[in-house]
Amino acid sequence: MLQKIEELKAKVNSLKAESIAEVEALRIQFLSKKGEISLLFNDFRNVAADQKRAIGQALNELKNIAGEKINALRAELESADTIDADIDLTRTAARHPEGTRHPLSLVRDEITSIFGRLGFSIAEGPEIEDDWHVFSSLNFADDHPARDMQDTFFVHRGPEVLLRTHTSSVQSRVMEKTQPPIRIICPGRVYRNEAISARAHCFFHQVEALYVDKNVSFADLKQTLLYFAREMFGPETKIRLRPSYFPFTEPSAEMDISCNLCGGKGCSFCKHTGWVEILGCGMVDPNVLEACGIDSKEYTGYALGMGIERITNLKYQVKDLRMFSENDVRFLDEFRSGR
Ligand code: DAH
């Protein structure tokens, strides 16, 4: 009997099956009530008492081995089955989701590259600033409303530590460290204490440009502005300058461009004027040059500053400023081609 058991063990160990049906046939052959192993169990009755223990053990072992073998064969075929069903090797690969550039980054890069072609290089400064660089060095009077808590976020008072309200602070930082010629373009984020709405946000982005050298004139400023407007909004774009006031420039102006939606004919976007305002500019006030250690008798300069959100709105007609910071992928996806 022991010999029979050993033969069956060897047979079971070498079993193979090509399909689930074959596995089932093997199970019946060995393990069903009338299967080969069960028949051996029937014979167990006739085994001599002194051999019962050894043969009983061997029989149980055989039954376990057969059970495990058949389960293993079944599991192997089942997993192979599901893989075959799921993998279609002719299918095109799943698309790897690609990110997009943020519209504000696209426009910022376009602005800095236009100025880059005129020889301006990028300069950056800190967002957490002191009073000197944001206000005092830029000729703001002590009682100027921008210094008020209502407009400016203060991190600390006395000494003042604040979030910069404009990128003009980078002007004074660079002028303090560098003697002319200076030709810089300064993109960055700025903060103002405003309630968030479709038209205002407590943070937004600006680009500042500064040119200081001998004999820099308002004519240079105007020509630079015209070049910028045409590169940015197309060769038909017209500009106009309106007198304005900023503490750090004298004279100061605001620039409008002919409305790029109606071509200057008048539409609801330009409130039927044909013009839209895009930036502030002027000749650097001699007080600012002196405050930053530049001789105002030898050097003159111009400066200009614009909001990147504003330019982006003009280019892409984004109606709600909040879209820029909500990170809704459906919105960001519209800029996939990096227009
Ligand atoms: N700093 C101004 C603002 O935040 C913008 C500006 C106006 C910058 C005129 C300039 C300038 O450099 O000359 O509104």
Side-chain angles (χ1 to χ4, degrees):
M1 179 120 173
L2 267 180
Q3 198 195 339
K4 187 93 189 277
I5 292 174
E6 285 309 313
E7 278 172 22
L8 265 181
K9 241 195 228 175
K11 201 165 156 189
V12 163
N13 273 327
S14 60
L15 288 182
K16 288 196 175 63
E18 303 258 322
S19 67
I20 302 276
E22 278 182 38
V23 175
E24 182 58 11
L26 291 174
R27 190 191 64 78
I28 292 169
Q29 184 188 340
F30 291 96
L31 293 170
S32 67
K33 266 194 186 153
K34 291 189 177 153
E36 294 185 36
I37 294 174
S38 310
L39 292 178
L40 280 182
F41 270 97
N42 291 344
D43 291 346
F44 187 63
R45 267 181 258 129
N46 310 323
V47 170
D50 60 341
Q51 287 189 18
K52 271 209 153 95
R53 197 182 145 94
I55 291 186
Q57 267 182 5
L59 258 181
N60 275 324
E61 205 188 328
L62 171 64
K63 191 178 167 195
N64 289 341
I65 290 175
E68 278 167 23
K69 179 75 187 180
I70 284 171
N71 284 342
L73 286 175
R74 182 179 290 122
E76 206 176 291
L77 285 166
E78 277 174 356
S79 67
D81 245 24
T82 50
I83 288 174
D84 278 346
D86 276 2
I87 293 189
D88 172 2
L89 295 174
T90 63
R91 222 171 105 180
T92 43
R95 249 187 91 179
H96 189 67
E98 257 177 29
T100 56
R101 307 229 39 219
H102 193 282
L104 293 177
S105 305
L106 292 172
V107 171
R108 177 202 59 205
D109 290 353
E110 201 174 342
I111 297 170
T112 53
S113 90
I114 293 170
F115 279 90
R117 296 201 282 280
L118 294 173
F120 287 72
S121 53
I122 293 176
E124 283 176 317
E127 291 178 14
I128 301 175
E129 264 290 8
D130 50 33
D131 173 277
W132 171 255
H133 292 100
V134 177
F135 298 127
S136 297
S137 65
L138 293 169
N139 203 34
F140 278 78
D142 283 342
D143 58 354
H144 193 284
R147 292 171 182 261
D148 199 321
M149 294 270 289
Q150 247 130 54
D151 293 306
T152 304
F153 287 116
F154 286 90
V155 178
H156 187 262
R157 301 218 74 159
E160 315 289 44
V161 179
L162 46 94
L163 300 183
R164 66 180 179 193
T165 56
H166 56 179
T167 44
S168 304
S169 54
V170 185
Q171 278 190 30
S172 39
R173 284 201 171 266
V174 170
M175 283 193 282
E176 277 173 347
K177 279 194 282 169
T178 334
Q179 281 299 306
I182 295 171
R183 223 175 316 180
I184 51 165
I185 179 94
C186 323
R189 182 175 291 173
V190 301
Y191 301 83
R192 285 184 202 176
N193 195 354
E194 306 239 16
I196 297 169
S197 71
R199 305 166 125 261
H201 211 296
C202 60
F203 66 79
F204 53 99
H205 301 79
Q206 288 187 332
V207 177
E208 184 89 10
L210 173 73
Y211 177 29
V212 185
D213 204 347
K214 288 180 180 152
N215 300 319
V216 176
S217 72
F218 203 96
D220 298 320
L221 170 61
K222 201 175 165 193
Q223 197 57 36
T224 305
L225 291 171
L226 182 64
Y227 176 76
F228 167 71
R230 290 189 170 164
E231 288 291 295
M232 193 76 206
F233 296 102
E236 306 301 323
T237 310
K238 294 189 194 69
I239 64 169
R240 82 175 179 188
L241 291 168
R242 285 177 290 101
S244 184
Y245 172 79
F246 300 102
F248 34 89
T249 42
E250 181 59 37
S252 304
E254 277 169 309
M255 181 174 99
D256 298 339
I257 58 164
S258 50
C259 177
N260 63 322
L261 285 192
C262 61
K265 287 190 201 74
C267 66
S268 62
F269 187 73
C270 60
K271 300 195 189 79
H272 303 282
T273 62
W275 297 95
V276 283
E277 183 202 320
I278 69 162
L279 56 77
C281 59
M283 300 306 291
V284 181
D285 193 300
N287 289 340
V288 174
L289 294 174
E290 295 292 339
C292 298
I294 290 175
D295 185 350
S296 64
K297 290 189 193 66
E298 197 176 348
Y299 296 109
T300 52
Y302 66 69
L304 59 102
M306 68 189 105
I308 303 183
E309 279 81 353
R310 174 100 183 123
I311 306 289
T312 309
N313 283 349
L314 282 173
K315 262 197 106 112
Y316 301 127
Q317 288 86 51
V318 178
K319 297 236 161 52
D320 189 330
L321 265 184
R322 289 168 293 197
M323 300 294 282
F324 290 126
S325 48
E326 274 170 0
N327 282 340
D328 184 331
V329 285
R330 291 167 301 182
F331 169 68
L332 298 174
D333 244 13
E334 292 184 32
F335 301 88
R336 182 165 292 285
S337 61
R339 292 178 288 178

